[in-house]
Amino acid sequence: MPMEEVRELKETLERVEGKIIAAANVYGAMNFAFWLVAMSLFFVIIGLAGAGPRLSVAYWGTAIAIGVYVSAKLWGRMERLTGPREGSKLGALGIGLSWAIGATIGWWIIPDMTSIGINAETRLAVGFLTFIGLSLLGQWLVMSTGKRHYEMIPSFLFPLLAIPVAVNMGKGAMVWAGFVVAVSYGITILLYLYSAFKAIER
């Protein structure tokens, strides 16, 4: 095969690879966009109905069920582009387990620990930040096997760093925690989209 044809083949393969990487990054951005909407709606609802552990558990249980369905649909489209990936079922199990652990600690254990925070709202805010931070940290660890996935780091780092601040807050702690998570998700979405554009330009 002439060198020119080899070079053209290499460039074509690189462009295809770039589009696949870009699609994966768009998939990641869409996932976080969904959760950003879910979290925003959560604060709209608690603004009307009031905050409470039972409402939080019911809401996030429903949101997670819908989120898993949406994520599965998006992942199905990704696999049509890339083909089935080895270990994807085990990875999904690991991600689900990380969210279950985060929900248990954040929504059940912490709100009942009167030694944390100065009132119930503070404990709810700390629980919310813990839920988001631990769940996404676990998801990142599962997804980062052999890959960087640096785009996800703000999504769990910001909430975890905000916990010590939330502990000492009183009224408004839950709203403040929500804005922290919203900022972390917004940055994560921007990083995913930036990576997608970089991949397309390859």
Side-chain angles (χ1 to χ4, degrees), residues 17-38:
E17 182 187 19
K19 289 181 179 180
I20 291 173
I21 294 171
N25 285 319
V26 171
Y27 161 80
M30 289 179 70
N31 261 316
F32 275 94
F34 170 85
W35 290 112
L36 181 58
V37 171

PDB file of all heavy atoms in Angstrom, residues 17-38:
ATOM      1  N   GLU A  17     -12.210   8.050  15.249  1.00  0.00           N
ATOM      2  CA  GLU A  17     -11.965   7.918  16.686  1.00  0.00           C
ATOM      3  C   GLU A  17     -12.343   9.200  17.418  1.00  0.00           C
ATOM      4  O   GLU A  17     -12.934   9.171  18.496  1.00  0.00           O
ATOM      5  CB  GLU A  17     -10.488   7.593  16.936  1.00  0.00           C
ATOM      6  CG  GLU A  17     -10.175   7.382  18.422  1.00  0.00           C
ATOM      7  CD  GLU A  17      -8.694   7.219  18.674  1.00  0.00           C
ATOM      8  OE1 GLU A  17      -7.884   7.608  17.803  1.00  0.00           O
ATOM      9  OE2 GLU A  17      -8.341   6.724  19.751  1.00  0.00           O
ATOM     10  N   GLY A  18     -12.016  10.342  16.806  1.00  0.00           N
ATOM     11  CA  GLY A  18     -12.350  11.628  17.415  1.00  0.00           C
ATOM     12  C   GLY A  18     -13.846  11.804  17.567  1.00  0.00           C
ATOM     13  O   GLY A  18     -14.324  12.291  18.597  1.00  0.00           O
ATOM     14  N   LYS A  19     -14.614  11.375  16.544  1.00  0.00           N
ATOM     15  CA  LYS A  19     -16.066  11.499  16.626  1.00  0.00           C
ATOM     16  C   LYS A  19     -16.653  10.581  17.692  1.00  0.00           C
ATOM     17  O   LYS A  19     -17.613  10.936  18.377  1.00  0.00           O
ATOM     18  CB  LYS A  19     -16.681  11.192  15.265  1.00  0.00           C
ATOM     19  CG  LYS A  19     -16.419  12.284  14.227  1.00  0.00           C
ATOM     20  CD  LYS A  19     -17.055  11.963  12.887  1.00  0.00           C
ATOM     21  CE  LYS A  19     -16.799  13.092  11.879  1.00  0.00           C
ATOM     22  NZ  LYS A  19     -17.396  12.811  10.555  1.00  0.00           N
ATOM     23  N   ILE A  20     -16.061   9.398  17.846  1.00  0.00           N
ATOM     24  CA  ILE A  20     -16.532   8.470  18.889  1.00  0.00           C
ATOM     25  C   ILE A  20     -16.251   9.039  20.278  1.00  0.00           C
ATOM     26  O   ILE A  20     -17.101   8.995  21.177  1.00  0.00           O
ATOM     27  CB  ILE A  20     -15.871   7.086  18.715  1.00  0.00           C
ATOM     28  CG1 ILE A  20     -16.396   6.418  17.450  1.00  0.00           C
ATOM     29  CG2 ILE A  20     -16.140   6.209  19.932  1.00  0.00           C
ATOM     30  CD1 ILE A  20     -15.686   5.123  17.099  1.00  0.00           C
ATOM     31  N   ILE A  21     -15.051   9.598  20.457  1.00  0.00           N
ATOM     32  CA  ILE A  21     -14.705  10.216  21.739  1.00  0.00           C
ATOM     33  C   ILE A  21     -15.619  11.404  22.017  1.00  0.00           C
ATOM     34  O   ILE A  21     -16.088  11.601  23.145  1.00  0.00           O
ATOM     35  CB  ILE A  21     -13.224  10.656  21.749  1.00  0.00           C
ATOM     36  CG1 ILE A  21     -12.311   9.427  21.687  1.00  0.00           C
ATOM     37  CG2 ILE A  21     -12.912  11.480  22.993  1.00  0.00           C
ATOM     38  CD1 ILE A  21     -10.853   9.767  21.483  1.00  0.00           C
ATOM     39  N   ALA A  22     -15.882  12.198  20.982  1.00  0.00           N
ATOM     40  CA  ALA A  22     -16.782  13.349  21.128  1.00  0.00           C
ATOM     41  C   ALA A  22     -18.173  12.899  21.531  1.00  0.00           C
ATOM     42  O   ALA A  22     -18.814  13.503  22.400  1.00  0.00           O
ATOM     43  CB  ALA A  22     -16.838  14.145  19.828  1.00  0.00           C
ATOM     44  N   ALA A  23     -18.658  11.812  20.913  1.00  0.00           N
ATOM     45  CA  ALA A  23     -19.984  11.285  21.257  1.00  0.00           C
ATOM     46  C   ALA A  23     -20.029  10.842  22.713  1.00  0.00           C
ATOM     47  O   ALA A  23     -21.017  11.069  23.418  1.00  0.00           O
ATOM     48  CB  ALA A  23     -20.332  10.122  20.330  1.00  0.00           C
ATOM     49  N   ALA A  24     -18.949  10.205  23.186  1.00  0.00           N
ATOM     50  CA  ALA A  24     -18.898   9.769  24.581  1.00  0.00           C
ATOM     51  C   ALA A  24     -18.937  10.966  25.528  1.00  0.00           C
ATOM     52  O   ALA A  24     -19.592  10.923  26.580  1.00  0.00           O
ATOM     53  CB  ALA A  24     -17.632   8.946  24.818  1.00  0.00           C
ATOM     54  N   ASN A  25     -18.248  12.043  25.165  1.00  0.00           N
ATOM     55  CA  ASN A  25     -18.247  13.241  26.003  1.00  0.00           C
ATOM     56  C   ASN A  25     -19.607  13.937  26.000  1.00  0.00           C
ATOM     57  O   ASN A  25     -20.044  14.462  27.026  1.00  0.00           O
ATOM     58  CB  ASN A  25     -17.153  14.201  25.542  1.00  0.00           C
ATOM     59  CG  ASN A  25     -15.768  13.741  25.941  1.00  0.00           C
ATOM     60  OD1 ASN A  25     -15.560  13.252  27.049  1.00  0.00           O
ATOM     61  ND2 ASN A  25     -14.811  13.866  25.047  1.00  0.00           N
ATOM     62  N   VAL A  26     -20.275  13.945  24.853  1.00  0.00           N
ATOM     63  CA  VAL A  26     -21.622  14.503  24.794  1.00  0.00           C
ATOM     64  C   VAL A  26     -22.571  13.670  25.652  1.00  0.00           C
ATOM     65  O   VAL A  26     -23.447  14.197  26.344  1.00  0.00           O
ATOM     66  CB  VAL A  26     -22.123  14.579  23.337  1.00  0.00           C
ATOM     67  CG1 VAL A  26     -23.599  14.938  23.283  1.00  0.00           C
ATOM     68  CG2 VAL A  26     -21.306  15.607  22.558  1.00  0.00           C
ATOM     69  N   TYR A  27     -22.384  12.351  25.618  1.00  0.00           N
ATOM     70  CA  TYR A  27     -23.163  11.448  26.471  1.00  0.00           C
ATOM     71  C   TYR A  27     -22.984  11.825  27.942  1.00  0.00           C
ATOM     72  O   TYR A  27     -23.949  11.914  28.708  1.00  0.00           O
ATOM     73  CB  TYR A  27     -22.721  10.010  26.216  1.00  0.00           C
ATOM     74  CG  TYR A  27     -23.089   9.025  27.294  1.00  0.00           C
ATOM     75  CD1 TYR A  27     -24.374   8.483  27.377  1.00  0.00           C
ATOM     76  CD2 TYR A  27     -22.142   8.616  28.228  1.00  0.00           C
ATOM     77  CE1 TYR A  27     -24.699   7.577  28.364  1.00  0.00           C
ATOM     78  CE2 TYR A  27     -22.462   7.709  29.215  1.00  0.00           C
ATOM     79  CZ  TYR A  27     -23.741   7.186  29.288  1.00  0.00           C
ATOM     80  OH  TYR A  27     -24.061   6.291  30.279  1.00  0.00           O
ATOM     81  N   GLY A  28     -21.721  12.066  28.348  1.00  0.00           N
ATOM     82  CA  GLY A  28     -21.456  12.465  29.726  1.00  0.00           C
ATOM     83  C   GLY A  28     -22.101  13.797  30.067  1.00  0.00           C
ATOM     84  O   GLY A  28     -22.686  13.962  31.142  1.00  0.00           O
ATOM     85  N   ALA A  29     -22.019  14.755  29.140  1.00  0.00           N
ATOM     86  CA  ALA A  29     -22.626  16.071  29.377  1.00  0.00           C
ATOM     87  C   ALA A  29     -24.136  15.963  29.512  1.00  0.00           C
ATOM     88  O   ALA A  29     -24.742  16.616  30.375  1.00  0.00           O
ATOM     89  CB  ALA A  29     -22.263  17.022  28.235  1.00  0.00           C
ATOM     90  N   MET A  30     -24.771  15.126  28.687  1.00  0.00           N
ATOM     91  CA  MET A  30     -26.225  14.963  28.756  1.00  0.00           C
ATOM     92  C   MET A  30     -26.654  14.325  30.072  1.00  0.00           C
ATOM     93  O   MET A  30     -27.690  14.679  30.644  1.00  0.00           O
ATOM     94  CB  MET A  30     -26.710  14.127  27.566  1.00  0.00           C
ATOM     95  CG  MET A  30     -26.627  14.858  26.238  1.00  0.00           C
ATOM     96  SD  MET A  30     -27.170  13.849  24.838  1.00  0.00           S
ATOM     97  CE  MET A  30     -28.936  13.752  25.177  1.00  0.00           C
ATOM     98  N   ASN A  31     -25.856  13.384  30.558  1.00  0.00           N
ATOM     99  CA  ASN A  31     -26.160  12.768  31.852  1.00  0.00           C
ATOM    100  C   ASN A  31     -26.167  13.807  32.963  1.00  0.00           C
ATOM    101  O   ASN A  31     -27.084  13.847  33.790  1.00  0.00           O
ATOM    102  CB  ASN A  31     -25.135  11.676  32.167  1.00  0.00           C
ATOM    103  CG  ASN A  31     -25.642  10.292  31.847  1.00  0.00           C
ATOM    104  OD1 ASN A  31     -26.785   9.958  32.155  1.00  0.00           O
ATOM    105  ND2 ASN A  31     -24.823   9.485  31.227  1.00  0.00           N
ATOM    106  N   PHE A  32     -25.139  14.636  32.995  1.00  0.00           N
ATOM    107  CA  PHE A  32     -25.063  15.642  34.048  1.00  0.00           C
ATOM    108  C   PHE A  32     -26.110  16.727  33.854  1.00  0.00           C
ATOM    109  O   PHE A  32     -26.599  17.307  34.827  1.00  0.00           O
ATOM    110  CB  PHE A  32     -23.649  16.237  34.120  1.00  0.00           C
ATOM    111  CG  PHE A  32     -22.724  15.406  34.954  1.00  0.00           C
ATOM    112  CD1 PHE A  32     -21.919  14.445  34.370  1.00  0.00           C
ATOM    113  CD2 PHE A  32     -22.681  15.558  36.333  1.00  0.00           C
ATOM    114  CE1 PHE A  32     -21.084  13.655  35.136  1.00  0.00           C
ATOM    115  CE2 PHE A  32     -21.848  14.787  37.111  1.00  0.00           C
ATOM    116  CZ  PHE A  32     -21.047  13.827  36.516  1.00  0.00           C
ATOM    117  N   ALA A  33     -26.467  17.014  32.605  1.00  0.00           N
ATOM    118  CA  ALA A  33     -27.540  17.978  32.353  1.00  0.00           C
ATOM    119  C   ALA A  33     -28.860  17.455  32.921  1.00  0.00           C
ATOM    120  O   ALA A  33     -29.646  18.217  33.509  1.00  0.00           O
ATOM    121  CB  ALA A  33     -27.669  18.243  30.861  1.00  0.00           C
ATOM    122  N   PHE A  34     -29.110  16.147  32.759  1.00  0.00           N
ATOM    123  CA  PHE A  34     -30.321  15.556  33.330  1.00  0.00           C
ATOM    124  C   PHE A  34     -30.343  15.731  34.845  1.00  0.00           C
ATOM    125  O   PHE A  34     -31.357  16.142  35.433  1.00  0.00           O
ATOM    126  CB  PHE A  34     -30.408  14.063  32.983  1.00  0.00           C
ATOM    127  CG  PHE A  34     -31.493  13.345  33.747  1.00  0.00           C
ATOM    128  CD1 PHE A  34     -32.800  13.351  33.277  1.00  0.00           C
ATOM    129  CD2 PHE A  34     -31.216  12.677  34.936  1.00  0.00           C
ATOM    130  CE1 PHE A  34     -33.812  12.714  33.993  1.00  0.00           C
ATOM    131  CE2 PHE A  34     -32.211  12.040  35.649  1.00  0.00           C
ATOM    132  CZ  PHE A  34     -33.518  12.050  35.181  1.00  0.00           C
ATOM    133  N   TRP A  35     -29.209  15.427  35.495  1.00  0.00           N
ATOM    134  CA  TRP A  35     -29.178  15.519  36.958  1.00  0.00           C
ATOM    135  C   TRP A  35     -29.236  16.960  37.437  1.00  0.00           C
ATOM    136  O   TRP A  35     -29.753  17.242  38.520  1.00  0.00           O
ATOM    137  CB  TRP A  35     -27.933  14.812  37.497  1.00  0.00           C
ATOM    138  CG  TRP A  35     -28.022  13.333  37.343  1.00  0.00           C
ATOM    139  CD1 TRP A  35     -27.277  12.531  36.528  1.00  0.00           C
ATOM    140  CD2 TRP A  35     -28.961  12.465  37.986  1.00  0.00           C
ATOM    141  NE1 TRP A  35     -27.689  11.233  36.634  1.00  0.00           N
ATOM    142  CE2 TRP A  35     -28.710  11.155  37.521  1.00  0.00           C
ATOM    143  CE3 TRP A  35     -29.983  12.672  38.917  1.00  0.00           C
ATOM    144  CZ2 TRP A  35     -29.455  10.066  37.947  1.00  0.00           C
ATOM    145  CZ3 TRP A  35     -30.725  11.581  39.343  1.00  0.00           C
ATOM    146  CH2 TRP A  35     -30.455  10.292  38.875  1.00  0.00           C
ATOM    147  N   LEU A  36     -28.731  17.879  36.622  1.00  0.00           N
ATOM    148  CA  LEU A  36     -28.847  19.296  36.978  1.00  0.00           C
ATOM    149  C   LEU A  36     -30.310  19.725  36.965  1.00  0.00           C
ATOM    150  O   LEU A  36     -30.765  20.436  37.869  1.00  0.00           O
ATOM    151  CB  LEU A  36     -28.030  20.143  36.000  1.00  0.00           C
ATOM    152  CG  LEU A  36     -28.010  21.655  36.247  1.00  0.00           C
ATOM    153  CD1 LEU A  36     -27.475  21.970  37.643  1.00  0.00           C
ATOM    154  CD2 LEU A  36     -27.163  22.354  35.186  1.00  0.00           C
ATOM    155  N   VAL A  37     -31.055  19.268  35.969  1.00  0.00           N
ATOM    156  CA  VAL A  37     -32.488  19.559  35.907  1.00  0.00           C
ATOM    157  C   VAL A  37     -33.214  18.896  37.071  1.00  0.00           C
ATOM    158  O   VAL A  37     -34.080  19.508  37.717  1.00  0.00           O
ATOM    159  CB  VAL A  37     -33.079  19.080  34.559  1.00  0.00           C
ATOM    160  CG1 VAL A  37     -34.598  19.169  34.570  1.00  0.00           C
ATOM    161  CG2 VAL A  37     -32.512  19.905  33.410  1.00  0.00           C
ATOM    162  N   ALA A  38     -32.855  17.638  37.372  1.00  0.00           N
ATOM    163  CA  ALA A  38     -33.497  16.911  38.472  1.00  0.00           C
ATOM    164  C   ALA A  38     -33.260  17.618  39.798  1.00  0.00           C
ATOM    165  O   ALA A  38     -34.175  17.753  40.625  1.00  0.00           O
ATOM    166  CB  ALA A  38     -32.967  15.481  38.533  1.00  0.00           C
TER     167      ALA A  38
END
